[in-house]
Amino acid sequence: MEAAAISQPLAWNARVFDRLTQLSVRGDYTPFGLFHWPERLPEDDWWMSPGLLSIHGTPLMDRLAEEQLKRLSKWESINFYSLNIHGIRELLIEVTRRLYARGFEIPSDFFHRFIGEENDHMWFFAQFCLRYGTKIYPSRLMPLRSQTDDAETEAFLVFARILIFEELVDHFNVRMANDDSLHPLIQQINRVHHKDESRHIAAGREVLRQLYRGLTRRLGIEQLQLLDEYLRHYLQTMIEALYNPLAYRDAGIAEAYRVRERLLADPSRRPYHEAFTRRTTRFLIGSNIISQGLFA
Ligand SMILES: [Fe+2]
Ligand SMILES: [Fe+2]
């Protein structure tokens, strides 16, 4: 269903979207044939950088043997790509609803490129999960649709959630693309994704700035505070989705649900959460959209 029209005219910066669309066209590719998919990936390799594991910095990291840590890195990587698949599904739906919807005519060309690229990303992440994990973990993300009948507010929240999701994922992509201890295919997938995401993030920030400017003209301080709180909760939810008990179980860790609870309550994980969300938090605070970062 098409999204409701934006009633307030937005001052889109058409040049930004034109430039990002041109860059996307210039970097056009198809993922079919781009990757070499080996029959299997070595089980005694790291599949995810150890510093990105959800147990890094906790007593559990010291307790587990390297073999088990590597097994965990496999299942946490499958969780990470599964998260991507579910996040992409939601954003494809929400961005598609806004193609040519009144108020979104100017970014529509860029949205077409974005949708095409996300379709490709979903395919290669799913290939990875199904070939090497034989599964995609079920979604633990909050549904993207929000409980508001105000079109501007809904659009703002949709694009804010997309940006938070993309910036968090990108932090992982950049680190894994540059980690030479990972299999070349894992590095390549993360590198290819990061290249597209840098355009998506630039566009997402522009969309968000415009939508928020529109909202500040109409909404009172209390309504804006609710949005602030909502988005900080969303940041927290994204972080929590990195802790998947099913991945712990597949890695052979006993009492997976209790382990998850303990990890989420462990203060030594806080600096990691801050590092994962630093870039998006800085942008959102700098744009006066949120008042502070993650909840303590
Ligand atoms: Fe993507
Ligand atoms: Fe993206």
Side-chain angles (χ1 to χ4, degrees), residues 117-158:
E117 287 163 4
E118 291 300 346
N119 177 51
D120 290 341
H121 303 164
M122 195 169 174
W123 179 78
F124 60 70
F125 288 135
Q127 284 294 308
F128 190 91
C129 289
L130 296 173
R131 283 172 186 266
Y132 307 120
T134 65
K135 70 170 110 181
I136 295 167
Y137 286 124
S139 175
R140 301 178 62 87
L141 290 174
M142 278 202 287
L144 263 188
R145 296 288 267 282
S146 47
Q147 302 299 316
T148 171
D149 46 18
D150 180 63
E152 277 90 350
T153 304
E154 197 202 334
F156 166 76
L157 289 177
V158 160

mmCIF file of all heavy atoms in Angstrom, residues 117-158:
data_model
loop_
_atom_site.group_PDB
_atom_site.id
_atom_site.type_symbol
_atom_site.label_atom_id
_atom_site.label_comp_id
_atom_site.label_asym_id
_atom_site.label_seq_id
_atom_site.Cartn_x
_atom_site.Cartn_y
_atom_site.Cartn_z
ATOM 1 N N GLU A 117 19.635 -2.376 -4.991
ATOM 2 C CA GLU A 117 20.837 -2.817 -4.271
ATOM 3 C C GLU A 117 20.480 -3.666 -3.059
ATOM 4 O O GLU A 117 21.126 -4.678 -2.775
ATOM 5 C CB GLU A 117 21.670 -1.590 -3.870
ATOM 6 C CG GLU A 117 22.363 -0.973 -5.079
ATOM 7 C CD GLU A 117 22.859 0.453 -4.876
ATOM 8 O OE1 GLU A 117 22.736 0.987 -3.752
ATOM 9 O OE2 GLU A 117 23.343 1.040 -5.843
ATOM 10 N N GLU A 118 19.444 -3.251 -2.344
ATOM 11 C CA GLU A 118 19.055 -4.037 -1.168
ATOM 12 C C GLU A 118 18.557 -5.435 -1.563
ATOM 13 O O GLU A 118 18.784 -6.410 -0.839
ATOM 14 C CB GLU A 118 17.985 -3.311 -0.341
ATOM 15 C CG GLU A 118 18.488 -2.061 0.372
ATOM 16 C CD GLU A 118 19.622 -2.321 1.353
ATOM 17 O OE1 GLU A 118 19.879 -3.486 1.705
ATOM 18 O OE2 GLU A 118 20.276 -1.349 1.767
ATOM 19 N N ASN A 119 17.896 -5.502 -2.701
ATOM 20 C CA ASN A 119 17.467 -6.809 -3.211
ATOM 21 C C ASN A 119 18.691 -7.703 -3.422
ATOM 22 O O ASN A 119 18.685 -8.884 -3.039
ATOM 23 C CB ASN A 119 16.703 -6.586 -4.519
ATOM 24 C CG ASN A 119 16.276 -7.888 -5.162
ATOM 25 O OD1 ASN A 119 15.672 -8.731 -4.517
ATOM 26 N ND2 ASN A 119 16.623 -8.061 -6.429
ATOM 27 N N ASP A 120 19.766 -7.123 -3.980
ATOM 28 C CA ASP A 120 21.012 -7.880 -4.173
ATOM 29 C C ASP A 120 21.621 -8.292 -2.834
ATOM 30 O O ASP A 120 22.071 -9.426 -2.669
ATOM 31 C CB ASP A 120 22.039 -7.033 -4.943
ATOM 32 C CG ASP A 120 21.634 -6.822 -6.397
ATOM 33 O OD1 ASP A 120 20.795 -7.601 -6.896
ATOM 34 O OD2 ASP A 120 22.155 -5.880 -7.028
ATOM 35 N N HIS A 121 21.624 -7.352 -1.881
ATOM 36 C CA HIS A 121 22.231 -7.664 -0.572
ATOM 37 C C HIS A 121 21.505 -8.835 0.092
ATOM 38 O O HIS A 121 22.121 -9.739 0.643
ATOM 39 C CB HIS A 121 22.160 -6.452 0.379
ATOM 40 C CG HIS A 121 22.820 -5.223 -0.162
ATOM 41 N ND1 HIS A 121 22.621 -3.964 0.348
ATOM 42 C CD2 HIS A 121 23.692 -5.075 -1.186
ATOM 43 C CE1 HIS A 121 23.341 -3.101 -0.340
ATOM 44 N NE2 HIS A 121 23.983 -3.734 -1.276
ATOM 45 N N MET A 122 20.183 -8.765 0.031
ATOM 46 C CA MET A 122 19.396 -9.812 0.681
ATOM 47 C C MET A 122 19.746 -11.163 0.065
ATOM 48 O O MET A 122 19.873 -12.166 0.762
ATOM 49 C CB MET A 122 17.912 -9.496 0.494
ATOM 50 C CG MET A 122 16.999 -10.278 1.399
ATOM 51 S SD MET A 122 15.368 -9.544 1.262
ATOM 52 C CE MET A 122 14.409 -10.671 2.232
ATOM 53 N N TRP A 123 19.939 -11.154 -1.256
ATOM 54 C CA TRP A 123 20.264 -12.413 -1.936
ATOM 55 C C TRP A 123 21.611 -12.951 -1.456
ATOM 56 O O TRP A 123 21.718 -14.122 -1.081
ATOM 57 C CB TRP A 123 20.284 -12.217 -3.467
ATOM 58 C CG TRP A 123 20.643 -13.489 -4.174
ATOM 59 C CD1 TRP A 123 19.821 -14.558 -4.416
ATOM 60 C CD2 TRP A 123 21.938 -13.864 -4.665
ATOM 61 N NE1 TRP A 123 20.526 -15.565 -5.040
ATOM 62 C CE2 TRP A 123 21.826 -15.166 -5.205
ATOM 63 C CE3 TRP A 123 23.174 -13.226 -4.710
ATOM 64 C CZ2 TRP A 123 22.895 -15.839 -5.780
ATOM 65 C CZ3 TRP A 123 24.251 -13.896 -5.283
ATOM 66 C CH2 TRP A 123 24.108 -15.197 -5.807
ATOM 67 N N PHE A 124 22.665 -12.088 -1.427
ATOM 68 C CA PHE A 124 23.965 -12.685 -1.079
ATOM 69 C C PHE A 124 24.074 -13.015 0.407
ATOM 70 O O PHE A 124 24.749 -13.980 0.775
ATOM 71 C CB PHE A 124 25.176 -11.941 -1.663
ATOM 72 C CG PHE A 124 25.433 -10.509 -1.317
ATOM 73 C CD1 PHE A 124 25.838 -10.129 -0.045
ATOM 74 C CD2 PHE A 124 25.356 -9.522 -2.303
ATOM 75 C CE1 PHE A 124 26.142 -8.813 0.256
ATOM 76 C CE2 PHE A 124 25.652 -8.187 -2.024
ATOM 77 C CZ PHE A 124 26.037 -7.840 -0.728
ATOM 78 N N PHE A 125 23.378 -12.285 1.268
ATOM 79 C CA PHE A 125 23.383 -12.665 2.687
ATOM 80 C C PHE A 125 22.654 -14.012 2.873
ATOM 81 O O PHE A 125 23.089 -14.869 3.646
ATOM 82 C CB PHE A 125 22.717 -11.596 3.549
ATOM 83 C CG PHE A 125 23.535 -10.338 3.703
ATOM 84 C CD1 PHE A 125 22.953 -9.079 3.580
ATOM 85 C CD2 PHE A 125 24.894 -10.408 3.997
ATOM 86 C CE1 PHE A 125 23.708 -7.920 3.736
ATOM 87 C CE2 PHE A 125 25.655 -9.246 4.153
ATOM 88 C CZ PHE A 125 25.058 -8.004 4.022
ATOM 89 N N ALA A 126 21.550 -14.186 2.161
ATOM 90 C CA ALA A 126 20.799 -15.441 2.275
ATOM 91 C C ALA A 126 21.603 -16.607 1.710
ATOM 92 O O ALA A 126 21.602 -17.706 2.275
ATOM 93 C CB ALA A 126 19.458 -15.312 1.555
ATOM 94 N N GLN A 127 22.314 -16.361 0.600
ATOM 95 C CA GLN A 127 23.180 -17.406 0.053
ATOM 96 C C GLN A 127 24.166 -17.885 1.104
ATOM 97 O O GLN A 127 24.374 -19.078 1.294
ATOM 98 C CB GLN A 127 23.971 -16.869 -1.162
ATOM 99 C CG GLN A 127 23.167 -16.751 -2.419
ATOM 100 C CD GLN A 127 22.729 -18.117 -2.920
ATOM 101 O OE1 GLN A 127 23.528 -19.041 -3.079
ATOM 102 N NE2 GLN A 127 21.445 -18.272 -3.136
ATOM 103 N N PHE A 128 24.776 -16.920 1.778
ATOM 104 C CA PHE A 128 25.782 -17.267 2.783
ATOM 105 C C PHE A 128 25.149 -18.111 3.893
ATOM 106 O O PHE A 128 25.656 -19.174 4.252
ATOM 107 C CB PHE A 128 26.419 -15.995 3.361
ATOM 108 C CG PHE A 128 27.621 -16.293 4.221
ATOM 109 C CD1 PHE A 128 28.899 -16.328 3.681
ATOM 110 C CD2 PHE A 128 27.479 -16.567 5.575
ATOM 111 C CE1 PHE A 128 30.010 -16.635 4.464
ATOM 112 C CE2 PHE A 128 28.580 -16.870 6.368
ATOM 113 C CZ PHE A 128 29.852 -16.911 5.809
ATOM 114 N N CYS A 129 24.020 -17.628 4.433
ATOM 115 C CA CYS A 129 23.364 -18.340 5.541
ATOM 116 C C CYS A 129 22.968 -19.754 5.128
ATOM 117 O O CYS A 129 23.180 -20.708 5.870
ATOM 118 C CB CYS A 129 22.108 -17.593 5.981
ATOM 119 S SG CYS A 129 22.464 -16.057 6.822
ATOM 120 N N LEU A 130 22.374 -19.885 3.949
ATOM 121 C CA LEU A 130 21.830 -21.187 3.553
ATOM 122 C C LEU A 130 22.932 -22.163 3.149
ATOM 123 O O LEU A 130 22.860 -23.348 3.450
ATOM 124 C CB LEU A 130 20.813 -21.003 2.423
ATOM 125 C CG LEU A 130 19.573 -20.197 2.843
ATOM 126 C CD1 LEU A 130 18.680 -19.908 1.643
ATOM 127 C CD2 LEU A 130 18.782 -20.911 3.942
ATOM 128 N N ARG A 131 23.972 -21.640 2.479
ATOM 129 C CA ARG A 131 25.056 -22.535 2.066
ATOM 130 C C ARG A 131 25.869 -23.025 3.259
ATOM 131 O O ARG A 131 26.218 -24.195 3.342
ATOM 132 C CB ARG A 131 26.018 -21.820 1.105
ATOM 133 C CG ARG A 131 25.483 -21.685 -0.314
ATOM 134 C CD ARG A 131 26.420 -20.784 -1.113
ATOM 135 N NE ARG A 131 25.890 -20.506 -2.433
ATOM 136 C CZ ARG A 131 26.206 -21.208 -3.525
ATOM 137 N NH1 ARG A 131 27.051 -22.224 -3.442
ATOM 138 N NH2 ARG A 131 25.686 -20.884 -4.688
ATOM 139 N N TYR A 132 26.204 -22.109 4.180
ATOM 140 C CA TYR A 132 27.176 -22.459 5.220
ATOM 141 C C TYR A 132 26.550 -22.654 6.603
ATOM 142 O O TYR A 132 27.200 -23.176 7.491
ATOM 143 C CB TYR A 132 28.299 -21.417 5.256
ATOM 144 C CG TYR A 132 28.909 -21.220 3.886
ATOM 145 C CD1 TYR A 132 28.899 -19.967 3.258
ATOM 146 C CD2 TYR A 132 29.450 -22.299 3.193
ATOM 147 C CE1 TYR A 132 29.423 -19.799 1.987
ATOM 148 C CE2 TYR A 132 29.968 -22.142 1.918
ATOM 149 C CZ TYR A 132 29.953 -20.887 1.313
ATOM 150 O OH TYR A 132 30.465 -20.737 0.053
ATOM 151 N N GLY A 133 25.317 -22.223 6.783
ATOM 152 C CA GLY A 133 24.644 -22.437 8.070
ATOM 153 C C GLY A 133 23.399 -23.292 7.901
ATOM 154 O O GLY A 133 22.781 -23.672 8.890
ATOM 155 N N THR A 134 23.019 -23.531 6.650
ATOM 156 C CA THR A 134 21.797 -24.261 6.260
ATOM 157 C C THR A 134 20.533 -23.694 6.905
ATOM 158 O O THR A 134 19.530 -24.381 7.049
ATOM 159 C CB THR A 134 21.868 -25.792 6.555
ATOM 160 O OG1 THR A 134 21.944 -25.984 7.975
ATOM 161 C CG2 THR A 134 23.061 -26.453 5.882
ATOM 162 N N LYS A 135 20.585 -22.438 7.328
ATOM 163 C CA LYS A 135 19.386 -21.815 7.905
ATOM 164 C C LYS A 135 19.530 -20.295 7.966
ATOM 165 O O LYS A 135 20.642 -19.772 7.896
ATOM 166 C CB LYS A 135 19.138 -22.349 9.308
ATOM 167 C CG LYS A 135 20.178 -21.874 10.327
ATOM 168 C CD LYS A 135 19.762 -22.234 11.738
ATOM 169 C CE LYS A 135 20.681 -23.313 12.270
ATOM 170 N NZ LYS A 135 20.367 -23.754 13.610
ATOM 171 N N ILE A 136 18.390 -19.650 8.119
ATOM 172 C CA ILE A 136 18.343 -18.219 8.433
ATOM 173 C C ILE A 136 17.644 -18.152 9.785
ATOM 174 O O ILE A 136 16.561 -18.729 9.942
ATOM 175 C CB ILE A 136 17.540 -17.450 7.356
ATOM 176 C CG1 ILE A 136 18.261 -17.522 5.999
ATOM 177 C CG2 ILE A 136 17.310 -15.999 7.766
ATOM 178 C CD1 ILE A 136 17.401 -17.078 4.816
ATOM 179 N N TYR A 137 18.252 -17.496 10.754
ATOM 180 C CA TYR A 137 17.593 -17.401 12.064
ATOM 181 C C TYR A 137 16.333 -16.542 11.947
ATOM 182 O O TYR A 137 16.322 -15.554 11.199
ATOM 183 C CB TYR A 137 18.528 -16.773 13.096
ATOM 184 C CG TYR A 137 19.635 -17.675 13.576
ATOM 185 C CD1 TYR A 137 20.968 -17.288 13.467
ATOM 186 C CD2 TYR A 137 19.358 -18.913 14.159
ATOM 187 C CE1 TYR A 137 22.002 -18.100 13.920
ATOM 188 C CE2 TYR A 137 20.386 -19.734 14.607
ATOM 189 C CZ TYR A 137 21.706 -19.330 14.485
ATOM 190 O OH TYR A 137 22.717 -20.135 14.927
ATOM 191 N N PRO A 138 15.292 -16.872 12.716
ATOM 192 C CA PRO A 138 14.078 -16.036 12.667
ATOM 193 C C PRO A 138 14.345 -14.616 13.170
ATOM 194 O O PRO A 138 15.288 -14.393 13.926
ATOM 195 C CB PRO A 138 13.096 -16.760 13.592
ATOM 196 C CG PRO A 138 13.784 -17.938 14.147
ATOM 197 C CD PRO A 138 15.174 -18.016 13.627
ATOM 198 N N SER A 139 13.487 -13.702 12.750
ATOM 199 C CA SER A 139 13.688 -12.290 13.089
ATOM 200 C C SER A 139 13.434 -12.006 14.562
ATOM 201 O O SER A 139 12.496 -12.508 15.153
ATOM 202 C CB SER A 139 12.732 -11.435 12.256
ATOM 203 O OG SER A 139 12.846 -10.091 12.667
ATOM 204 N N ARG A 140 14.311 -11.205 15.147
ATOM 205 C CA ARG A 140 14.093 -10.714 16.516
ATOM 206 C C ARG A 140 13.934 -9.196 16.508
ATOM 207 O O ARG A 140 13.998 -8.563 17.548
ATOM 208 C CB ARG A 140 15.288 -11.084 17.405
ATOM 209 C CG ARG A 140 15.560 -12.568 17.498
ATOM 210 C CD ARG A 140 16.793 -12.834 18.354
ATOM 211 N NE ARG A 140 16.606 -12.370 19.719
ATOM 212 C CZ ARG A 140 16.047 -13.114 20.687
ATOM 213 N NH1 ARG A 140 15.654 -14.329 20.420
ATOM 214 N NH2 ARG A 140 15.913 -12.622 21.888
ATOM 215 N N LEU A 141 13.755 -8.634 15.320
ATOM 216 C CA LEU A 141 13.669 -7.169 15.220
ATOM 217 C C LEU A 141 12.248 -6.683 15.437
ATOM 218 O O LEU A 141 11.290 -7.381 15.129
ATOM 219 C CB LEU A 141 14.133 -6.702 13.835
ATOM 220 C CG LEU A 141 15.624 -6.831 13.522
ATOM 221 C CD1 LEU A 141 15.855 -6.464 12.061
ATOM 222 C CD2 LEU A 141 16.443 -5.927 14.430
ATOM 223 N N MET A 142 12.136 -5.461 15.928
ATOM 224 C CA MET A 142 10.817 -4.829 16.030
ATOM 225 C C MET A 142 10.310 -4.575 14.614
ATOM 226 O O MET A 142 11.088 -4.182 13.754
ATOM 227 C CB MET A 142 10.963 -3.439 16.685
ATOM 228 C CG MET A 142 11.032 -3.447 18.171
ATOM 229 S SD MET A 142 10.555 -1.824 18.822
ATOM 230 C CE MET A 142 11.945 -0.804 18.421
ATOM 231 N N PRO A 143 9.016 -4.799 14.369
ATOM 232 C CA PRO A 143 8.514 -4.455 13.039
ATOM 233 C C PRO A 143 8.695 -2.961 12.769
ATOM 234 O O PRO A 143 8.606 -2.151 13.689
ATOM 235 C CB PRO A 143 7.037 -4.833 13.089
ATOM 236 C CG PRO A 143 6.720 -5.085 14.522
ATOM 237 C CD PRO A 143 7.996 -5.289 15.266
ATOM 238 N N LEU A 144 8.976 -2.649 11.495
ATOM 239 C CA LEU A 144 9.293 -1.250 11.173
ATOM 240 C C LEU A 144 8.105 -0.302 11.287
ATOM 241 O O LEU A 144 8.270 0.873 11.523
ATOM 242 C CB LEU A 144 9.864 -1.170 9.759
ATOM 243 C CG LEU A 144 11.391 -1.143 9.624
ATOM 244 C CD1 LEU A 144 11.788 -0.859 8.187
ATOM 245 C CD2 LEU A 144 12.038 -0.115 10.547
ATOM 246 N N ARG A 145 6.896 -0.830 11.077
ATOM 247 C CA ARG A 145 5.727 0.071 11.102
ATOM 248 C C ARG A 145 5.522 0.624 12.514
ATOM 249 O O ARG A 145 5.702 -0.059 13.497
ATOM 250 C CB ARG A 145 4.471 -0.671 10.665
ATOM 251 C CG ARG A 145 4.530 -1.134 9.244
ATOM 252 C CD ARG A 145 4.412 0.013 8.253
ATOM 253 N NE ARG A 145 3.036 0.209 7.854
ATOM 254 C CZ ARG A 145 2.424 -0.559 6.960
ATOM 255 N NH1 ARG A 145 3.054 -1.548 6.390
ATOM 256 N NH2 ARG A 145 1.179 -0.329 6.623
ATOM 257 N N SER A 146 5.136 1.875 12.590
ATOM 258 C CA SER A 146 4.973 2.498 13.897
ATOM 259 C C SER A 146 3.506 2.831 14.146
ATOM 260 O O SER A 146 2.696 2.852 13.224
ATOM 261 C CB SER A 146 5.825 3.756 13.965
ATOM 262 O OG SER A 146 5.630 4.524 12.805
ATOM 263 N N GLN A 147 3.193 3.078 15.388
ATOM 264 C CA GLN A 147 1.804 3.329 15.770
ATOM 265 C C GLN A 147 1.513 4.834 15.725
ATOM 266 O O GLN A 147 1.360 5.466 16.744
ATOM 267 C CB GLN A 147 1.542 2.814 17.180
ATOM 268 C CG GLN A 147 1.810 1.333 17.370
ATOM 269 C CD GLN A 147 0.927 0.478 16.486
ATOM 270 O OE1 GLN A 147 -0.267 0.744 16.373
ATOM 271 N NE2 GLN A 147 1.492 -0.519 15.846
ATOM 272 N N THR A 148 1.471 5.390 14.557
ATOM 273 C CA THR A 148 1.119 6.799 14.455
ATOM 274 C C THR A 148 0.325 6.985 13.166
ATOM 275 O O THR A 148 0.572 6.292 12.182
ATOM 276 C CB THR A 148 2.380 7.706 14.447
ATOM 277 O OG1 THR A 148 1.983 9.038 14.144
ATOM 278 C CG2 THR A 148 3.414 7.269 13.433
ATOM 279 N N ASP A 149 -0.652 7.883 13.187
ATOM 280 C CA ASP A 149 -1.380 8.120 11.932
ATOM 281 C C ASP A 149 -0.919 9.419 11.283
ATOM 282 O O ASP A 149 -1.509 9.888 10.327
ATOM 283 C CB ASP A 149 -2.905 8.085 12.144
ATOM 284 C CG ASP A 149 -3.322 8.892 13.360
ATOM 285 O OD1 ASP A 149 -2.505 9.723 13.811
ATOM 286 O OD2 ASP A 149 -4.458 8.684 13.845
ATOM 287 N N ASP A 150 0.154 9.977 11.796
ATOM 288 C CA ASP A 150 0.700 11.185 11.192
ATOM 289 C C ASP A 150 1.753 10.775 10.151
ATOM 290 O O ASP A 150 2.757 10.151 10.489
ATOM 291 C CB ASP A 150 1.334 12.051 12.299
ATOM 292 C CG ASP A 150 1.922 13.332 11.730
ATOM 293 O OD1 ASP A 150 1.157 14.150 11.197
ATOM 294 O OD2 ASP A 150 3.157 13.478 11.780
ATOM 295 N N ALA A 151 1.489 11.093 8.887
ATOM 296 C CA ALA A 151 2.345 10.603 7.793
ATOM 297 C C ALA A 151 3.791 11.057 7.951
ATOM 298 O O ALA A 151 4.725 10.293 7.703
ATOM 299 C CB ALA A 151 1.792 11.068 6.453
ATOM 300 N N GLU A 152 3.979 12.324 8.369
ATOM 301 C CA GLU A 152 5.348 12.848 8.506
ATOM 302 C C GLU A 152 6.096 12.118 9.623
ATOM 303 O O GLU A 152 7.268 11.786 9.482
ATOM 304 C CB GLU A 152 5.342 14.347 8.818
ATOM 305 C CG GLU A 152 5.190 15.243 7.591
ATOM 306 C CD GLU A 152 3.743 15.543 7.265
ATOM 307 O OE1 GLU A 152 2.836 14.910 7.867
ATOM 308 O OE2 GLU A 152 3.502 16.416 6.408
ATOM 309 N N THR A 153 5.388 11.899 10.742
ATOM 310 C CA THR A 153 6.032 11.220 11.871
ATOM 311 C C THR A 153 6.362 9.785 11.490
ATOM 312 O O THR A 153 7.452 9.290 11.773
ATOM 313 C CB THR A 153 5.108 11.234 13.116
ATOM 314 O OG1 THR A 153 4.783 12.594 13.407
ATOM 315 C CG2 THR A 153 5.788 10.611 14.322
ATOM 316 N N GLU A 154 5.433 9.133 10.810
ATOM 317 C CA GLU A 154 5.682 7.746 10.426
ATOM 318 C C GLU A 154 6.884 7.667 9.482
ATOM 319 O O GLU A 154 7.764 6.824 9.656
ATOM 320 C CB GLU A 154 4.447 7.126 9.780
ATOM 321 C CG GLU A 154 4.554 5.612 9.757
ATOM 322 C CD GLU A 154 3.696 4.921 8.712
ATOM 323 O OE1 GLU A 154 2.662 5.490 8.325
ATOM 324 O OE2 GLU A 154 4.079 3.824 8.295
ATOM 325 N N ALA A 155 6.911 8.559 8.502
ATOM 326 C CA ALA A 155 8.031 8.550 7.551
ATOM 327 C C ALA A 155 9.345 8.809 8.280
ATOM 328 O O ALA A 155 10.357 8.145 8.034
ATOM 329 C CB ALA A 155 7.805 9.599 6.465
ATOM 330 N N PHE A 156 9.318 9.767 9.190
ATOM 331 C CA PHE A 156 10.533 10.076 9.953
ATOM 332 C C PHE A 156 11.025 8.841 10.707
ATOM 333 O O PHE A 156 12.202 8.494 10.670
ATOM 334 C CB PHE A 156 10.266 11.233 10.929
ATOM 335 C CG PHE A 156 11.338 11.381 11.964
ATOM 336 C CD1 PHE A 156 12.566 11.951 11.624
ATOM 337 C CD2 PHE A 156 11.151 10.926 13.263
ATOM 338 C CE1 PHE A 156 13.584 12.058 12.571
ATOM 339 C CE2 PHE A 156 12.160 11.031 14.215
ATOM 340 C CZ PHE A 156 13.375 11.600 13.867
ATOM 341 N N LEU A 157 10.113 8.149 11.402
ATOM 342 C CA LEU A 157 10.527 6.980 12.192
ATOM 343 C C LEU A 157 11.030 5.855 11.300
ATOM 344 O O LEU A 157 12.006 5.185 11.631
ATOM 345 C CB LEU A 157 9.370 6.501 13.081
ATOM 346 C CG LEU A 157 9.034 7.433 14.254
ATOM 347 C CD1 LEU A 157 7.823 6.908 15.018
ATOM 348 C CD2 LEU A 157 10.224 7.580 15.213
ATOM 349 N N VAL A 158 10.379 5.666 10.170
ATOM 350 C CA VAL A 158 10.823 4.622 9.231
ATOM 351 C C VAL A 158 12.264 4.899 8.801
ATOM 352 O O VAL A 158 13.139 4.032 8.897
ATOM 353 C CB VAL A 158 9.888 4.567 7.990
ATOM 354 C CG1 VAL A 158 10.571 3.871 6.823
ATOM 355 C CG2 VAL A 158 8.589 3.865 8.346
#
